[in-house]
Amino acid sequence: MDESTEQLGKQLQERIHQLFGRSLGIREVDAGSCNGCEVEVNALTNAIHDIERFGMHIVASPRHADMLLVTGAVTRNMEMPLIKTYRATPSPKMVVAMGSCAASGGPFLSSYAVVGPVDSLIPVDVYIPGCPPRPQAIIHGIMVALDLLEEANNR
Amino acid sequence: MSFNDGLIRKISSMAERLEHRGELLHVATSRDQFVDLVDIIHKVGGRLVSLHATDERATAESFMMYAILDHDGCLIEVVSPVWDGVPFQSLVPRVHAANWYEREIQDMFGLTPHGHPDPRPLVLYDDWPQDTFPLRKDFDSSIDIPRIPREYKYRHMEGDGVFEIPVGPVHAGVIEPGHFRFSVAGEPIMALEIRLGYVHRGVEKLSETMPYHKGVILAERISGDTSAAHSAAYCQSVEQLFEIKAPERAEYIRTIILELERLYNHLGDISGIALDTAFAVPAADGYVLRERVLELNEWLTGSRLLRSINTIGGVNKDIDRDKSAKLLSHLVDLRLQFERLSSTMMSSVSMLDRVEGTGILSKENARSLGCVGPIARASGVDIDTRRDHPYAAYPDMSFRIPLQKSGDVYARTVVRIDEVRESFAIIEQALDRIPNGSICTEFTGAPIKTTALSLVEASRGELMHWMIGEEEKPFRHKIRDPSFCNWLGLELAVRGDIVPDFPLVNKSFSLSYAGNDL
Ligand code: SF4
């Protein structure tokens, strides 16, 4: 067990319950990642972090998702698939840009094969810095996204 | 190993120039002789390590094509000119492993293979304008490249009851993007076509713009779970170019982190195989072990993915005596848990039932496609860069190279389990024998004029970085990830299996999309 995960997770569980009354559906989209970010997203579901117990569910289709977790600087070849995935996600939806590449383009920004950071194509709610961000940072980022959602709901 | 005299005589009769450069035999030949020469080496068992081009129009007035072959532990580099607008004779009818390489050359340089059985684009998509080639020196990265609508032609199978199942590029699980198209008749897969290139980020071109010290950072981001192996290969090739040598202590530290990388990747793959056979308990245990290694990586080096350790001339982080002792005791613990896990897995009848005879890649096919790493070794192909072309501290290590014959998911699982054991043993040996001294040599001087070639055995198999240097940055940097050699093996291995077995076979191949697409 990891204590920081434990603490963060408990807080998150409460938030998710308040806001949704059910689990939060997250769809991960690799839009041009080096796969380092995927190592950490996968680590979220191992028995040490085990985010499912806090009500965060990695879903198999954007149709089931409340949130898109996008990694990588968007490549030319992933531009359309990313936009289609975004459109297939029902509103209201949140987008989290995970990792330096998704947030800013990282070392790939100037390449002919890269369109740009995620927010150059779809609106982004939260950016999680790191290359790759640690599992705890991802959980924290998701929490910030929920704060924003709550604020919007109260307005 | 020494070169075979008969072969050398044959080669020299067709060569314009022949030169021994350390471990490498460099052979320059004419365009007409290139295919025959490569074919001769291939026929006597030479394995194609890479085939790539360079744009040397400024100095040599032509493009150049390089084939790297490994013949019985001897590396041969065959080079010949290729001209713009004049199609070159394709190697593929004689050397199947050249398939994707030639398609890549066509995309990136606009040089067309004549007689290639499948000359479709590989990484640059159909909407890419047909007169723009990124790896040419006169390509301007700053302009916006328009999209030209055009359609990609998939192979079609027809017949009564034959259906197509398209999957991806966005998959159901947390994996990288790629498109799979199955032609099925009922449950069995008749053919699979794999289309990649979705995460093509233009790494080779970017590398030509990056000063060497930044190039290491880029190399770590070619395929994130292979950060240590890619950066080691990058550093080794720059070290060759500048004729500097990492201190012995650094070579040992590199060995340790390379094995830690193999450990966490193999543990993930083994657990993934358990998961895909619905064997949840060992899968969960295995993923915990993998997480333990990631945590160990962070504690030891500051990075879970072992980044920022390799640097040109050595390493950035030392392992002091205290850490070394603690690492050893952690390893003992991990080892015990791993043995429990592997015996649970390999003694379960329901698990064995799923993996035995599933996804068979024959030795013949593995050879002809030039497969590498655990995939090749599970099909009985006895190659391992750590033994065949030793680097870092591997010459001082003793280890076994596990081999299997059946080429199925079972064999690939067993090979990885055995390799995990060897990795534990190598790290222990390295920690035990690590010499004192500095961990980094100063990076100075000017690059040599010839090419540099560096091979590293990553967790997925042999990985190559090849370079022509300039003062500040590479003039040309060819990267060949092990997955590039193994993807086509997956197409063959799933034929005849049922669709629900595909995820399992795919997992047992454990391929990198980012490394393949570059
Ligand atoms: S942020 Fe880092 S780990 Fe994530 S995709 Fe980019 S380079 Fe890879």
Side-chain angles (χ1 to χ4, degrees):
Chain A
M1 232 178 349
D2 180 285
E3 263 181 48
S4 47
T5 307
E6 230 35 47
Q7 267 183 3
L8 275 167
K10 286 272 153 51
Q11 289 173 27
L12 197 56
Q13 190 172 21
E14 253 170 57
R15 296 310 278 291
I16 293 174
H17 191 73
Q18 275 170 7
L19 279 164
F20 293 92
R22 58 164 171 83
S23 285
L24 168 77
I26 304 173
R27 174 76 280 239
E28 200 262 359
V29 186
D30 173 344
S33 149
C34 75
N35 83 25
C37 279
E38 278 58 43
V39 171
E40 295 301 40
V41 177
N42 278 316
L44 286 174
T45 54
N46 66 33
I48 293 182
H49 300 294
D50 191 14
I51 58 159
E52 299 251 341
R53 74 200 149 116
F54 304 125
M56 277 182 278
H57 189 44
I58 302 214
V59 294
S61 160
R63 305 253 183 234
H64 307 154
D66 305 299
M67 174 188 283
L68 293 181
L69 183 64
V70 188
T71 62
V74 185
T75 60
R76 185 181 157 99
N77 294 344
M78 275 307 283
E79 181 178 349
M80 267 331 282
L82 175 64
I83 291 175
K84 281 188 184 164
T85 307
Y86 180 74
R87 288 196 190 130
T89 313
S91 290
K93 52 194 162 195
M94 293 169 275
V95 177
V96 174
M98 170 188 167
S100 323
C101 290
S104 72
F108 305 110
L109 186 64
S110 61
S111 171
Y112 64 87
V114 165
V115 184
V118 176
D119 64 5
S120 62
L121 292 167
I122 57 175
V124 170
D125 298 290
V126 171
Y127 303 83
I128 307 179
C131 181
R134 307 176 76 247
Q136 290 83 352
I138 308 174
I139 300 179
H140 179 76
I142 294 172
M143 187 120 77
V144 175
L146 293 179
D147 285 344
L148 290 176
L149 182 71
E150 194 178 15
E151 257 174 49
N153 281 353
N154 291 342
R155 236 183 281 136
Chain B
M1 300 224 182
S2 68
F3 286 96
N4 166 322
D5 283 343
L7 181 63
I8 295 257
R9 261 197 304 276
K10 250 194 209 159
I11 295 176
S12 44
S13 70
M14 301 169 80
E16 287 176 353
R17 194 158 36 85
L18 202 106
E19 216 178 291
H20 285 274
R21 293 177 183 164
E23 216 206 329
L24 184 85
L25 178 68
H26 175 86
V27 186
T29 183
S30 68
R31 189 58 239 171
D32 295 342
Q33 303 265 38
F34 183 83
V35 169
D36 290 336
L37 220 165
V38 172
D39 189 35
I40 283 176
I41 305 168
H42 181 252
K43 275 219 180 80
V44 293
R47 177 177 58 86
L48 191 67
V49 174
S50 176
L51 179 71
H52 53 265
T54 57
D55 179 356
E56 298 180 37
R57 285 175 297 170
T59 48
E61 282 164 21
S62 72
F63 292 89
M64 290 288 180
M65 180 128 46
Y66 292 82
I68 316 285
L69 292 117
D70 177 0
H71 176 255
D72 223 1
C74 301
L75 291 167
I76 309 172
E77 178 181 78
V78 186
V79 53
S80 89
V82 194
W83 290 277
D84 197 5
V86 186
F88 63 89
Q89 196 193 337
S90 170
L91 256 175
V92 184
R94 295 199 239 172
V95 183
H96 298 161
N99 187 347
W100 280 15
Y101 292 107
E102 288 187 357
R103 288 172 66 183
E104 184 183 51
I105 291 171
Q106 176 173 259
D107 279 3
M108 307 310 278
F109 289 92
L111 302 166
T112 359
H114 174 74
H116 193 295
D118 178 16
R120 291 175 298 172
L122 185 70
V123 280
L124 297 179
Y125 278 13
D126 9 295
D127 67 2
W128 183 270
Q130 285 197 318
D131 53 356
T132 312
F133 308 108
L135 283 182
R136 288 194 175 196
K137 286 289 171 190
D138 50 14
F139 172 79
D140 182 359
S141 299
S142 62
I143 50 162
D144 261 346
I145 315 274
R147 287 187 189 266
I148 318 275
R150 209 177 298 126
E151 212 181 320
Y152 185 82
K153 288 210 170 46
Y154 287 94
R155 292 192 297 256
H156 280 296
M157 276 218 152
E158 280 170 20
D160 267 355
V162 178
F163 288 93
E164 272 184 359
I165 312 177
V167 182
V170 179
H171 296 282
V174 180
I175 56 169
E176 301 176 71
H179 183 81
F180 302 120
R181 196 164 277 227
F182 301 92
S183 299
V184 297
E187 284 275 47
I189 301 168
M190 300 170 69
L192 162 65
E193 179 168 3
I194 298 169
R195 184 175 195 206
L196 301 171
Y198 291 93
V199 281
H200 173 64
R201 292 146 295 158
V203 175
E204 289 181 3
K205 188 74 178 182
L206 277 172
S207 182
E208 290 176 12
T209 65
M210 286 203 185
Y212 292 110
H213 66 277
K214 273 200 180 165
V216 189
I217 298 171
L218 183 67
E220 286 172 339
R221 282 146 186 86
I222 293 169
S223 176
D225 56 13
T226 315
S227 297
H230 270 294
S231 58
Y234 181 88
C235 292
Q236 286 179 11
S237 44
V238 179
E239 285 157 14
Q240 256 182 50
L241 281 181
F242 286 79
E243 297 181 295
I244 52 177
K245 207 180 150 1
E248 231 189 312
R249 187 172 178 85
E251 299 282 31
Y252 271 71
I253 294 174
R254 277 187 186 169
T255 306
I256 293 166
I257 66 159
L258 285 167
E259 291 307 320
L260 284 169
E261 183 167 271
R262 190 176 333 275
L263 266 184
Y264 86 74
N265 278 312
H266 275 14
L267 287 170
D269 292 341
I270 294 165
S271 321
I273 291 168
L275 190 72
D276 283 343
T277 57
F279 201 6
V281 173
D285 284 348
Y287 282 123
V288 168
L289 287 189
R290 170 185 161 97
E291 177 69 19
R292 293 282 175 242
V293 180
L294 291 172
E295 285 169 359
L296 210 55
N297 290 347
E298 186 177 28
W299 164 80
L300 189 70
T301 69
S303 162
R304 283 163 60 92
L305 301 187
L306 302 164
R307 284 177 171 171
S308 310
I309 299 157
N310 283 318
T311 184
I312 297 159
V315 291
N316 280 321
K317 296 248 162 63
D318 205 349
I319 299 177
D320 60 27
R321 213 168 271 161
D322 192 34
K323 283 213 155 151
S324 165
K326 278 199 190 128
L327 179 58
L328 270 175
S329 78
H330 281 301
L331 289 177
V332 171
D333 193 38
L334 281 173
R335 214 173 173 162
L336 280 173
Q337 294 182 47
F338 176 73
E339 288 307 330
R340 266 205 300 274
L341 166 84
S342 64
S343 78
T344 314
M345 268 177 79
M346 299 326 274
S347 61
S348 152
V349 179
S350 59
M351 155 111 195
L352 293 176
D353 183 50
R354 283 292 304 279
V355 296
E356 281 175 349
T358 309
I360 296 177
L361 178 69
S362 69
K363 182 174 183 176
E364 199 192 342
N365 284 337
R367 264 187 197 283
S368 114
L369 293 173
C371 293
V372 294
I375 310 300
R377 292 190 284 273
S379 293
V381 182
D382 188 10
I383 47 169
D384 190 317
T385 319
R386 292 173 294 176
R387 174 201 60 199
D388 303 340
H389 308 282
Y391 52 96
Y394 289 108
D396 304 343
M397 302 290 133
S398 65
F399 56 95
R400 255 175 3 101
I401 291 161
L403 273 188
Q404 288 284 319
K405 288 201 179 110
S406 51
D408 50 4
V409 178
Y410 170 82
R412 289 186 282 277
T413 314
V414 173
V415 162
R416 290 203 181 88
I417 289 177
D418 289 342
E419 288 186 14
V420 165
R421 297 192 176 114
E422 296 304 317
S423 290
F424 280 127
I426 293 173
I427 301 175
E428 280 165 12
Q429 289 174 50
L431 286 171
D432 187 41
R433 298 187 202 152
I434 188 167
N436 289 326
S438 76
I439 55 166
C440 198
T441 319
E442 210 193 332
F443 174 33
T444 52
I448 52 167
K449 292 275 174 288
T450 55
T451 58
L453 168 69
S454 140
L455 299 175
V456 164
E457 184 76 16
S459 62
R460 295 188 176 91
E462 177 197 79
L463 170 160
M464 184 202 79
H465 281 231
W466 179 97
M467 221 179 264
I468 296 181
E470 269 175 358
E471 208 66 32
E472 305 285 328
K473 50 196 177 26
F475 169 80
R476 168 84 170 104
H477 178 196
K478 172 67 201 155
I479 303 150
R480 206 271 289 128
D481 189 86
S483 294
F484 193 79
C485 305
N486 288 345
W487 270 106
L488 284 175
L490 178 61
E491 279 191 1
L492 295 183
V494 297
R495 277 194 197 161
D497 278 329
I498 55 173
V499 178
D501 272 338
F502 172 73
L504 178 62
V505 181
N506 188 20
K507 188 76 234 176
S508 75
F509 267 75
S510 172
L511 297 158
S512 165
Y513 302 61
N516 178 80
D517 296 353
L518 295 176

